[in-house]
Amino acid sequence: LLIDASGSQSVRQSMVALQSYLFSAALSRIRIPHRVMSYCTYGNYTVLRRFRDYDDKSEADRRILEYRATSNNRDGLALAAAGLDLKKRREEHKIIIVFSDGLPNDMVSGRKREGAPEVYVGDAAIRDTCFQVRKLRREGAHVIGIFLGEDGELENERMIYGASFLRIRRAEDFAGSAGKRLSETLLNLKNEKESPAGSKPAGLCLIIFHSPAARLRAASAAAFWRRCSAAASCAGRGRRCAREWALRA
């Protein structure tokens, strides 16, 4: 799971953190090994922060709530880096899920200066990200985009991920059609060998996302986080409280 941690995500930082946490926690519940990283770019360096690794226990999911959005983002480079380790895994099905706003953009590298990298803004950035997505798919990985941006960037997301993307506007949407489609995709892959042909995969992941109580707690956690984040004087306390509520959700 790759999470865009660029500055454009700061307006929805708490929502992204909560959605990513809920998703990772669900994968932990059904024992799917997974890694969660955020990525952003400072100057000539792209930084990937690892919140949890493939074989970590479920308690590691809590670190995702420390997610912070800042600076620029080179989505293509982050995808290439994530794919290097993923290809070494022994599992037959390999999946990369990218939470982003459809805006790969590194303004610093776009400046003209001696020794500068290739311009990474606009169409050039989208082409590079498209190339990496298709390269990973040719190598056998399933790449899915989770779109968190605005209407104006929706076409970028389609260009990058094709039909393999979902749009999620709120944390509660995980309990709706978007969450259902995503969980069914994962469960179909997980049960492909275990289930007889034509049988329906088990619904454990759907239960996690779709129970009314879980939906209500997710909505409460999101609302509580927004209230805490709005008060700068209690920012530290807000993060701790939001973490507790998100864990309950």
Side-chain angles (χ1 to χ4, degrees):
L1 174 60
L2 275 177
I3 311 170
D4 176 3
S6 62
S8 60
Q9 293 278 60
S10 60
V11 295
R12 61 185 74 91
Q13 178 175 283
S14 59
M15 181 190 75
V16 174
L18 183 58
Q19 288 178 341
S20 303
Y21 167 78
L22 292 173
F23 182 68
S24 181
L27 294 179
S28 296
R29 290 280 187 92
I30 56 176
R31 295 182 176 86
I32 293 181
H34 64 288
R35 171 184 287 175
V36 181
M37 296 190 297
S38 66
Y39 63 93
C40 62
T41 300
Y42 292 92
N44 294 331
Y45 299 92
T46 290
V47 179
L48 288 91
R49 180 180 179 184
R50 187 182 301 167
F51 296 107
R52 64 154 292 144
D53 211 351
Y54 294 107
D55 301 317
D56 285 348
K57 295 183 178 180
S58 59
E59 288 77 7
D61 294 324
R62 303 177 187 181
R63 291 197 290 268
I64 299 169
L65 297 172
E66 299 171 5
Y67 164 85
R68 294 292 176 269
T70 181
S71 198
N72 301 304
N73 57 307
R74 295 179 69 89
D75 291 32
L77 181 57
L79 281 161
L84 288 175
D85 278 349
L86 184 64
K87 285 185 288 187
K88 299 174 184 177
R89 297 289 299 177
R90 65 183 183 276
E91 290 84 3
E92 180 180 357
H93 298 298
K94 298 175 175 62
I95 306 170
I96 297 180
I97 298 173
V98 186
F99 281 62
S100 73
D101 58 3
L103 279 175
N105 195 347
D106 184 3
M107 295 299 295
V108 174
S109 70
R111 297 173 186 167
K112 293 183 178 180
R113 64 184 190 280
E114 186 177 354
E118 183 181 350
V119 172
Y120 203 84
V121 294
D123 290 343
I126 293 172
R127 283 197 303 271
D128 176 68
T129 308
C130 287
F131 171 78
Q132 293 298 340
V133 168
R134 282 150 184 75
K135 182 174 184 290
L136 287 166
R137 287 174 176 166
R138 287 196 302 270
E139 294 170 351
H142 302 268
V143 185
I144 302 171
I146 304 294
F147 180 62
L148 306 171
E150 305 298 332
D151 292 344
E153 285 74 54
L154 192 57
E155 187 57 33
N156 293 350
E157 192 80 357
R158 287 197 182 98
M159 290 176 62
I160 294 170
Y161 297 102
S164 298
F165 82 93
L166 303 172
R167 185 174 192 179
I168 297 180
R169 300 174 186 268
R170 306 165 301 170
E172 304 92 281
D173 289 347
F174 268 127
S177 57
K180 183 177 179 180
R181 279 188 59 197
L182 183 57
S183 56
E184 285 177 342
T185 298
L186 297 177
L187 284 167
N188 283 334
L189 291 174
K190 180 176 174 61
N191 290 280
E192 194 172 76
K193 280 194 169 182
E194 301 172 5
S195 303
S199 66
K200 194 171 182 179
L204 177 58
C205 195
L206 299 187
I207 292 172
I208 292 170
F209 284 135
H210 292 273
S211 69
R215 184 184 307 189
L216 176 61
R217 287 195 294 270
S220 299
F224 186 80
W225 195 324
R226 285 194 294 269
R227 291 199 299 271
C228 286
S229 299
S233 60
C234 67
R237 180 173 64 83
R239 286 193 295 272
R240 288 194 298 273
C241 293
R243 183 181 294 112
E244 293 170 4
W245 271 82
L247 290 175
R248 288 175 60 191

